[in-house]
């Protein structure tokens, strides 16, 4: 909070200045003392457009699915010593678009896991979104030694001679779901209930997935696959710089918002007395005074009535896990940064340690113990603050 709040106030001031500059007389200081919540969101987005002038569709030609997959598999081989081999035709699939891959330990040559990739949108018979699911989990009792995962996305399919082209957000999503898949597939746990992602505590389950997203901002990794599908031209440097800058845009307000939601959730489920003098909306206003004093809810605000995450979505007293997972994943990536992302031997050594702890131990070891085995200490927020430009 101490780092995020000053940044959030500056971000809101910048959005307010733009509104007063181009929004007309209704946004003058005489007519509007401060931006209302709905205005703040609108003008923050206009400020982002003005600052970066970068549209997602402009990036698609540089992110062809096959090239992205090849680059991601090379990264997995580089940091985890795992080779991903195409194995189409070895198994039956439910749609011609579905691909099948096998993972091999490079040192021993052992086949350790497999996964199906269903990459394209099919609105008629496939729900939207992206997810990783367990097809076959490692289990000594069931005699299953080779885990199998489903990785499902909803990208644009190829059209004619044009390959499947991805937005940068879709690239991040692919890396994210692959992180979940790697934890499922590279587990060494042999008891099914705690193998892979099974039994992993709620606030640690996003660690491998968000960790993998960090590599989407590592220049050598991105430039290994970000090439125009027709010309072979590399992604222009200014576009990549804007992508990195966009990642931290509004980081102060977003951090304060997440802190508010997490702490308000905990307050409601830990300390709130429904028979007391406070209403849930009083609690909301009291917590907003602490975490978002620059944007207090209006009297008519009934956001909590629709905050399904903490009442019906499984995040009761657990919303904090979103931010906590960011802390852990950024700190884990920080271990690679500390040895130098261009230090191949160092990256391999840290990657092997990540594989042998976070990706291997499953839910049978407490997440804090797993992280401490990998990092040598408990998680620190310093890497996340640095990545978000708030250090």
């Amino acid at each position: 909070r101490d780092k995020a709040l000053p940044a959030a106030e500056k971000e809101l001031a910048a959005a307010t200045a733009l509104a007063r500059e181009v929004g007309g007389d209704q946004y003058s200081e005489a007519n509007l003392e401060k931006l209302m919540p709905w205005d703040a969101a609108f003008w923050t987005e206009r400020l982002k457009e003005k600052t970066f002038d970068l549209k997602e569709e402009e990036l698609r030609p540089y992110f062809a699915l096959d090239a992205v997959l090849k680059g991601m598999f090379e990264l997995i081989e580089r940091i985890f010593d795992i080779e991903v081999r195409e194995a189409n035709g070895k198994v039956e699939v439910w749609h011609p678009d579905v691909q099948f891959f096998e993972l091999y330990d490079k040192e021993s040559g052992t086949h350790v896991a497999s996964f199906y990739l269903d990459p394209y949108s099919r609105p008629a018979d496939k729900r939207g979104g992206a997810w990783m699911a367990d097809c076959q989990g490692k289990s000594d009792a069931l005699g299953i030694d080779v885990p199998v995962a489903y990785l499902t996305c909803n990208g644009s399919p190829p059209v004619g001679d044009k390959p499947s082209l991805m937005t940068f957000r879709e690239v991040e999503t692919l890396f994210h779901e692959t992180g979940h898949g790697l934890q499922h597939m590279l587990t060494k746990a042999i008891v099914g209930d705690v193998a892979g992602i099974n039994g992993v505590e709620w606030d640690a389950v996003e660690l491998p997935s968000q960790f993998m997203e960090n590599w989407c901002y590592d220049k050598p990794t991105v430039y290994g696959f970000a090439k125009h599908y027709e010309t072979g031209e590399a992604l222009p440097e200014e576009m990549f710089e804007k992508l990195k800058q966009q990642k931290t845009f509004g980081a102060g307000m977003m951090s304060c918002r997440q802190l508010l939601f997490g702490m308000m959730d905990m307050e409601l489920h830990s300390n709130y007395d429904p028979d007391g003098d406070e209403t849930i909306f009083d609690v909301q206003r009291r917590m907003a005074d602490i975490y978002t004093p620059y944007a207090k809810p209006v009297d008519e605000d009934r956001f909590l009535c629709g905050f399904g995450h903490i009442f019906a979505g499984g995040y009761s007293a657990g919303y904090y896990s979103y931010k906590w997972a960011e802390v852990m994943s950024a700190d884990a990536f920080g271990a690679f940064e500390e040895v130098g992302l261009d230090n191949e031997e160092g990256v391999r050594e840290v990657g092997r340690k990540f594989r042998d702890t976070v990706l291997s131990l499953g839910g049978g070891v407490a997440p804090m113990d797993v992280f401490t085995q990998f990092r040598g200490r408990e998680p620190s927020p310093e890497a996340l603050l640095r990545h978000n430009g708030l250090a």
Side-chain angles (χ1 to χ4, degrees):
R1 174 185 175 276
D2 291 345
K3 298 283 189 179
L5 187 52
E9 290 169 341
K10 288 181 182 176
E11 291 161 6
L12 183 59
T16 302
L18 179 64
R20 299 205 193 287
E21 178 187 344
V22 302
D25 190 52
Q26 62 179 318
Y27 290 104
S28 68
E29 288 189 53
N31 292 328
L32 190 68
E33 181 183 350
K34 59 179 292 186
L35 292 184
M36 300 304 286
W38 46 90
D39 284 327
F42 176 85
W43 287 107
T44 297
E45 192 60 28
R46 301 294 78 74
L47 180 61
K48 183 178 181 180
E49 292 171 355
K50 179 184 178 184
T51 303
F52 298 110
D53 189 28
L54 183 64
K55 296 177 177 61
E56 279 202 329
E57 293 304 311
E58 295 177 53
L59 297 167
R60 277 191 193 271
Y62 296 95
F63 297 121
L65 173 63
D66 288 346
V68 173
L69 284 174
K70 182 173 182 293
M72 184 175 69
F73 295 160
E74 288 172 353
L75 172 68
I76 291 170
E77 183 174 337
R78 175 191 172 210
I79 62 178
F80 299 136
D81 211 27
I82 290 289
E83 182 182 0
V84 183
R85 300 180 190 171
E86 186 179 294
N88 291 328
K90 279 195 172 185
V91 295
E92 185 179 358
V93 294
W94 56 93
H95 191 277
D97 292 342
V98 176
Q99 302 174 50
F100 188 68
F101 298 90
E102 295 176 336
L103 275 62
Y104 289 83
D105 178 80
K106 283 200 69 181
E107 188 176 337
S108 66
T110 306
H111 175 209
V112 295
S114 305
F115 70 93
Y116 296 88
L117 175 66
D118 189 351
Y120 307 132
S121 172
R122 295 190 300 277
D125 61 3
K126 180 181 174 184
R127 68 180 172 92
W131 63 92
M132 189 286 295
D134 174 347
C135 172
Q136 177 175 282
K138 198 178 187 80
S139 170
D140 192 44
L142 297 177
I144 300 172
D145 194 44
V146 179
V148 182
Y150 298 115
L151 297 185
T152 306
C153 299
N154 266 282
S156 302
V159 179
D161 294 332
K162 182 186 289 189
S164 172
L165 301 176
M166 309 173 73
T167 66
F168 184 71
R169 181 61 200 143
E170 288 170 342
V171 174
E172 285 186 298
T173 299
L174 177 62
F175 273 67
H176 180 103
E177 299 306 332
T178 300
H180 283 307
L182 289 170
Q183 187 173 32
H184 171 67
M185 293 185 286
L186 299 183
T187 188
K188 293 291 179 65
I190 60 173
V191 177
D193 285 347
V194 294
I197 61 172
N198 292 332
V200 176
E201 291 177 19
W202 192 273
D203 57 2
V205 75
E206 295 294 335
L207 166 55
S209 53
Q210 293 189 4
F211 163 80
M212 284 297 291
E213 286 187 44
N214 284 286
W215 293 98
C216 295
Y217 296 90
D218 174 53
K219 189 173 182 180
T221 299
V222 172
Y223 276 81
F225 57 76
K227 296 178 175 61
H228 197 283
Y229 78 99
E230 289 180 314
T231 66
E233 173 195 6
L235 178 73
E237 291 263 354
E238 61 270 21
M239 282 189 172
F240 182 65
E241 288 304 313
K242 285 180 179 179
L243 282 173
K244 290 198 298 182
Q245 291 163 14
Q246 276 188 346
K247 184 186 179 187
T248 62
F249 181 85
M253 285 198 288
M254 180 56 72
S255 295
C256 286
R257 180 176 183 268
Q258 291 297 90
L259 288 171
L260 169 63
F261 289 173
M263 296 307 293
M264 180 168 59
D265 166 44
M266 198 63 75
E267 182 74 7
L268 286 169
H269 285 98
S270 301
N271 300 320
Y272 174 64
D273 179 3
D275 296 321
D277 294 332
E278 270 192 320
T279 68
I280 59 172
F281 307 112
D282 292 330
V283 174
Q284 178 187 2
R285 283 187 282 272
R286 176 161 57 81
M287 302 308 288
D289 285 344
I290 300 171
Y291 295 100
T292 58
Y294 55 86
K296 297 179 183 180
V298 297
D299 291 340
E300 298 84 1
D301 189 299
R302 292 297 181 266
F303 162 76
L304 282 172
C305 294
F307 197 9
H309 271 76
I310 69 168
F311 296 119
Y315 279 87
S316 303
Y319 195 90
Y320 76 91
S321 61
Y322 280 110
K323 185 56 69 177
W324 182 241
E326 287 182 44
V327 169
M328 288 197 294
S329 61
D331 199 12
F333 188 72
F336 290 82
E337 293 176 313
E338 286 168 13
V339 299
L341 294 175
D342 56 353
N343 175 359
E344 289 301 314
E345 185 177 343
V347 165
R348 275 197 301 272
E349 184 178 332
V350 176
R352 184 68 203 208
K353 196 171 184 181
F354 189 86
R355 174 183 164 185
D356 290 341
T357 52
V358 176
L359 299 181
S360 292
L361 295 176
V365 181
M368 185 63 78
D369 293 340
V370 173
F371 190 92
T372 303
Q373 285 185 43
F374 167 62
R375 204 67 170 93
R377 56 166 174 75
E378 294 188 354
S380 163
E382 294 306 314
L384 178 61
L385 290 170
R386 177 164 43 82
H387 292 169
N388 283 348
L390 300 175

